[in-house]
Amino acid sequence: MTDDPSHQFERGTDGPKVIVVGVDGSDSSLRAAAYAGGLARRQRALLAVVYVQPVMAAGAALGAPVAETTDEIAEGLIAEIRSATERVKGIFDVRWEFHTFRGDPYNGLVSAADDLTADAVVVGASEQAGHRIVGSVAVRLVKAGRWPVTVVP
C-alpha cells in the first residue's frame, strides 16, 4: 500500500452532487423518487425532483383545461413530496428542489439535467405497453449517453 495521498480513497467525497429524478405521479415514478431520495441522502447530494407538464395541443383545441390540470398535478406532487419529507424529518435529511417544465418528458428531463448540471438521472420504468415498440423516456435517456441513468421498476 502506498502513502501517496493521490491514490487514497476519501470517504464521502465521491459520487453525484445533483441527482435528477423524473416524476409524473405514476407508481413507478414515485418508486424512482424514493430510490433517488435514498441515493441523495447517502451521497449528501441535491435531489432535483422534475415534473414535465405535457403539452396537449389536441386537448387544448377541444377546450379542455390542460394547463390547469397539469398545474394541479404539479401541486399535488409537491404536496406529496413535502408530506413524505415531513414524515422522515429528523430521521433522514435530504436536500431537494422541485422543478416543473412544459413539453414532452424526454426533452424536459434533458433540459433539467443540463440546466442543473446533473450527475445522474433516475426515472421509473414506463407503465405504457406502447413504449415497448417506440421506446420509453428511460430508453431514450440511456441512448443519449450524457449521464448515468437508473431505471426503477
Side-chain angles (χ1 to χ4, degrees), residues 2 6 8-9 11 19 27-29 46 49 56 59 70-71 73 75 82 84 109 113-114 117 120 131 140-141:
T2 179
S6 66
Q8 292 179 344
F9 176 75
R11 187 185 254 331
I19 299 170
D27 288 343
S28 66
S29 78
L46 172 65
V49 181
M56 296 180 240
T70 59
D71 285 344
I73 292 169
E75 289 170 16
R82 283 194 177 124
L109 286 171
D114 284 345
T117 58
H131 285 169
R140 293 172 66 196
L141 288 168

Side-chain angles (χ1 to χ4, degrees), residues 13 15-16 22 29-30 40 52 90 103 110-111 129 131-132 146 152:
T13 59
S29 78
L30 297 177
V52 181
V110 167
S111 294
H131 285 169
R132 292 186 198 129
R146 293 165 63 181
V152 178

Side-chain angles (χ1 to χ4, degrees), residues 26-99:
S26 67
D27 288 343
S28 66
S29 78
L30 297 177
R31 285 190 297 271
Y35 180 86
L39 287 176
R41 179 184 56 80
R42 288 186 296 278
Q43 296 291 333
R44 294 188 176 93
L46 172 65
L47 178 64
V49 181
V50 176
Y51 169 59
V52 181
Q53 297 184 29
V55 176
M56 296 180 240
L62 297 173
V66 174
E68 290 175 22
T69 302
T70 59
D71 285 344
E72 288 173 16
I73 292 169
E75 289 170 16
L77 288 169
I78 292 171
E80 196 167 335
I81 294 163
R82 283 194 177 124
S83 173
T85 55
E86 277 301 311
R87 286 193 303 268
V88 297
K89 193 173 187 176
I91 302 168
F92 300 119
D93 290 319
V94 176
R95 292 181 306 124
W96 64 277
E97 300 174 346
F98 184 83
H99 300 269

